[in-house]
Amino acid sequence: MSDRELDQQLVERVQRGEKRAFDLLVSKYQRRLGRLLSRFIKDSADIEDVTQEAFIKAYRALPSFRGESAFYTWLYRIGINTAKNFLSANGRRPVFKAGVEDEDGEVADLGDQMPDYHTPEADMMNRQIVETVNQAVNALPEELRTAITLREMDGLSYEEIAQVMDCPIGTVRSRIFRAREAIATQLRPLLDTAKDKRW
Amino acid sequence: MKENISALMDDALDDAAAHAAITDLQADKTLKDSWDTYQLIGDAMRGGGGLALDVRREVSERLRDEPTVLAPARRWPLPARKLRHYALAASLACAAVVGWMGWQQDESEMVVAKASEAQVFSPVTAVEAPYLLAHQEMAGTIDSSQRRVAYVPARDKAAH
């Protein structure tokens, strides 16, 4: 099942009344949507509010979503409109305007080029997460590190990774899972500490 | 079980396994936590900012007050195999109709051809030939070869 099909499956579950399926979409896209919105909105608390609002609007609009475009493209459009309405209502102008949509009208995820949130707490939390993940990745046995890196950073499929690493697909699957678990073990204490904080 | 969630994220499960994994995810908080953490790890490794943003709880709380959305079931496009079968059946049906129409047309043409044949050759019959010849001679528009042919009575043709 492809990434788009997975999203479609989750959407259809929500459309059948399974609200919890929407949580999975929120978890998957909240950071990407937040990074996109930070092109329009400067204040980190406002970004968080608009991100929330965009998800709620998306939930309400889900009955009309028919899957003609990818879910994230549709979600991003809702996010951008929500941000514009927010800025308009508050008499403010967007921080950046350019580079949000490509020539096909698709919404581009420009997260890598975006400035991070602007509060010191958010910056610090962001740095800590990145450092923890990097340290955990570097501490992995080589075969786990290679597998997770090829998957997450290079976007290779399990079949391609199996060819690169000259091992069965089942081994790739197991290595990536073990790598994620090892990194998650290092990350969880930091996330537990942050749970009740608003960044 | 967690390994399936990891594989689900990577598009590495078939449809049935993916459906089962999603159902498990919705029911099991530990699995849901793993899903959340794996997503965060991926975002962090890809170098994205905004990792501190977390609106899951707020959105979830607000959704409790929202009416449950219900949409009519979507009609998925037919699988390619079924489409091929339909296309083949349509082609055969089309070929049969065209063939039938062609056959009908042949029949009509044959009838017309026979009728024309009868009209063309009927004047040159034994009964009418002397009458026609007499008039043709008066009109002076028929050459000698035509006159000869017209002059031979039909019943005598077989003898020649």
Side-chain angles (χ1 to χ4, degrees):
Chain A
M1 184 181 282
S2 70
D3 194 45
R4 185 168 171 169
E5 286 169 341
L6 172 60
D7 287 352
Q8 187 60 38
Q9 277 301 313
L10 294 172
V11 164
E12 285 180 13
R13 284 178 181 246
V14 181
Q15 288 175 333
R16 290 198 300 264
E18 299 177 30
K19 278 187 181 178
R20 283 186 178 181
F22 196 73
D23 293 342
L24 302 176
L25 289 166
V26 173
S27 176
K28 186 174 178 182
Y29 288 115
Q30 59 174 347
R31 286 174 288 273
R32 275 183 258 183
L33 183 59
R35 287 200 301 269
L36 179 75
L37 297 180
S38 71
R39 290 193 75 84
F40 295 85
I41 304 165
K42 197 173 177 182
D43 184 79
S44 62
D46 289 342
I47 291 169
E48 193 166 316
D49 289 343
V50 174
T51 304
Q52 266 187 54
E53 194 58 38
F55 275 117
I56 298 297
K57 282 186 178 175
Y59 177 81
R60 288 173 184 158
L62 265 183
S64 64
F65 179 73
R66 288 284 171 269
E68 284 93 2
S69 61
F71 172 75
Y72 74 86
T73 307
W74 181 78
L75 174 67
Y76 285 8
R77 287 190 196 287
I78 290 175
I80 288 167
N81 287 334
T82 310
K84 286 177 178 173
N85 291 342
F86 170 84
L87 292 168
S88 171
N90 289 278
R92 285 186 252 171
R93 297 172 70 82
V95 181
F96 299 113
K97 271 186 168 177
V100 176
E101 288 186 359
D102 62 21
E103 63 268 18
D104 298 326
E106 291 291 307
V107 181
D109 184 1
L110 303 173
D112 293 351
Q113 305 160 34
M114 293 180 195
D116 200 356
Y117 300 140
H118 308 285
T119 65
E121 294 86 352
D123 284 345
M124 190 176 74
M125 182 63 179
N126 202 80
R127 242 191 340 268
Q128 283 179 333
I129 292 171
V130 171
E131 280 172 11
T132 305
V133 169
N134 286 343
Q135 284 170 7
V137 169
N138 289 332
L140 291 171
E142 190 185 337
E143 69 272 15
L144 301 193
R145 186 168 65 244
T146 305
I148 191 75
T149 303
L150 290 174
R151 174 64 208 155
E152 293 289 16
M153 297 180 76
D154 298 309
L156 267 57
S157 68
Y158 282 11
E159 283 157 355
E160 290 166 331
I161 297 170
Q163 285 172 6
V164 171
M165 297 186 75
D166 194 22
C167 66
I169 289 177
T171 306
V172 171
R173 174 181 155 136
S174 167
R175 284 175 180 171
I176 290 174
F177 166 63
R178 282 155 54 205
R180 283 188 173 130
E181 271 302 291
I183 301 167
T185 303
Q186 300 297 315
L187 202 50
R188 279 191 186 111
L190 180 63
L191 299 178
D192 289 341
T193 311
K195 250 178 190 169
D196 295 323
K197 292 183 181 175
R198 179 189 169 101
W199 301 99
Chain B
M1 199 81 92
K2 279 188 183 178
E3 191 171 331
N4 277 352
I5 303 307
S6 171
L8 178 69
M9 279 180 55
D10 297 332
D11 319 328
L13 292 184
D14 60 36
D15 285 359
H19 278 289
I22 294 170
T23 303
D24 292 341
L25 254 179
Q26 289 176 243
D28 188 327
K29 190 182 176 306
T30 309
L31 291 179
K32 171 71 168 38
D33 286 345
S34 293
W35 166 272
D36 292 344
T37 310
Y38 296 166
Q39 295 286 355
L40 177 60
I41 291 167
D43 285 345
M45 287 187 72
R46 286 187 288 273
L51 299 173
L53 180 83
D54 189 354
V55 296
R56 287 171 298 159
R57 193 178 63 190
E58 291 82 356
V59 172
S60 185
E61 282 172 4
R62 287 184 63 183
L63 283 187
R64 271 186 226 139
D65 301 329
E66 291 289 325
T68 300
V69 298
L70 286 172
R74 181 170 182 252
R75 286 186 180 180
W76 284 94
L78 288 167
R81 198 161 54 104
K82 273 194 176 175
L83 280 178
R84 277 198 296 274
H85 290 167
Y86 287 145
L88 180 63
S91 303
L92 287 174
C94 186
V97 168
V98 169
W100 180 79
M101 286 173 68
W103 181 74
Q104 290 286 63
Q105 198 173 358
D106 287 347
E107 286 276 293
S108 311
E109 279 171 0
M110 282 172 70
V111 170
V112 170
K114 279 175 183 171
S116 305
E117 201 175 323
Q119 282 171 359
V120 166
F121 291 103
S122 63
V124 196
T125 60
V127 175
E128 294 167 339
Y131 172 83
L132 284 174
L133 184 62
H135 282 80
Q136 282 164 4
E137 278 172 348
M138 293 301 291
T141 55
I142 295 180
D143 64 25
S144 56
S145 62
Q146 284 175 312
R147 198 176 296 159
R148 267 198 309 276
V149 170
Y151 190 68
V152 179
R155 66 172 175 274
D156 293 339
K157 275 184 183 175
H160 291 283

